[in-house]
Amino acid sequence: APAGSGKSTLLAQWRRALVAGGRTVCWLSLDESDSRESLFLASLVAALAHGGCAVGRDALVDYEQQRRADAGERFIAELVNELCALRGHAHLFLDDFHLVGAERVPALVRRLVQYAPPHLHLVVASRALPDLGLAQLGLGERATVHEARELRFDFEETRAFLQERLTVRVGPGELRTLYDVTEGWVGGLQLAALALNRVQNVPDYVRGFARGSRDIGEYLAAEVLARLPDEVVAFLVRTAVLSRFNADLCEYVSGIHGCERLLRRIEAENLFVIPLDREGRWYRYHHLFQALLR
């Protein structure tokens, strides 16, 4: 599904439910650097270990010591053997798979999917349909694909979503306008809620929103930024160069002190910051918001 459709949010909710049910859950947020095979495999092993699956370490050592063209395939074979020995179900989440541009990494993931044991469940979020042999997997009832249309909100879902987030009153006609213009796209609805909580005249804003740019994300993000304190804007802009960050990294890059406080603030205000771990230490920006900041 496209950016702003709620893929990462859906995965995070799914992860919380699985953890609450006692399942083993491993999470890997990908970026462009993971297109390098060696970095991807190292990140994969680290994500598995962090989630409680201590597998792949010896295979990674063997991989790093080899100079063979098929070293990646050998790593996957060793990893699969270790996964087969695991007891209980394990879920591996790969977020932002579209950022892995090179063919080499998708080929290795496709091999992992092909040979993985039944108790390993792979969950992949991507803007484009990944080349993982989904057609063949679907025929064998081994894969399910959820697309953008399933993530779009209907009118009642839109009403519930906005009621949870708005501190101002929005009339039925204005609510219908917001729904019609966004067509249930949750990114646009999130941006609309952020802007509406900071305007004085809701009807005027909604009328302007209906006549506004087709690029809803950019239009509303500009409305949000225009109403934020200079300190917060400076923090957002200076840290937008980072694909993922924590408070210490933000302070180093931005030169702004008190980044822990600012991180907590933008998280509390839902300013397009997405937590990447259970501890609430590492984050990333929503991609549309980050692109605008950059």
Side-chain angles (χ1 to χ4, degrees), residues 100-119:
V100 183
E103 169 59 26
R104 187 67 182 154
V105 169
L108 292 178
V109 176
R110 186 163 61 245
R111 193 175 186 88
L112 173 61
V113 171
Q114 183 178 359
Y115 295 109
H119 55 263

Side-chain angles (χ1 to χ4, degrees), residues 73-153:
E73 286 80 0
R74 288 173 172 265
F75 169 89
I76 294 298
E78 291 185 49
L79 179 64
V80 167
N81 288 336
E82 293 188 56
L83 290 169
C84 287
L86 290 177
R87 293 185 177 182
H89 292 271
H91 299 256
L92 173 60
F93 286 74
L94 300 179
D95 194 18
D96 291 334
F97 198 76
H98 57 276
L99 294 176
V100 183
E103 169 59 26
R104 187 67 182 154
V105 169
L108 292 178
V109 176
R110 186 163 61 245
R111 193 175 186 88
L112 173 61
V113 171
Q114 183 178 359
Y115 295 109
H119 55 263
L120 177 69
H121 308 279
L122 190 66
V123 184
V124 180
S126 178
R127 293 185 190 176
L129 203 63
D131 183 15
L132 300 178
L134 294 173
Q136 296 88 340
L137 292 169
L139 287 174
E141 297 186 342
R142 294 183 58 204
T144 302
V145 178
H146 299 284
E147 298 179 314
R149 57 184 173 81
E150 298 173 80
L151 294 176
R152 296 190 192 108
F153 287 2

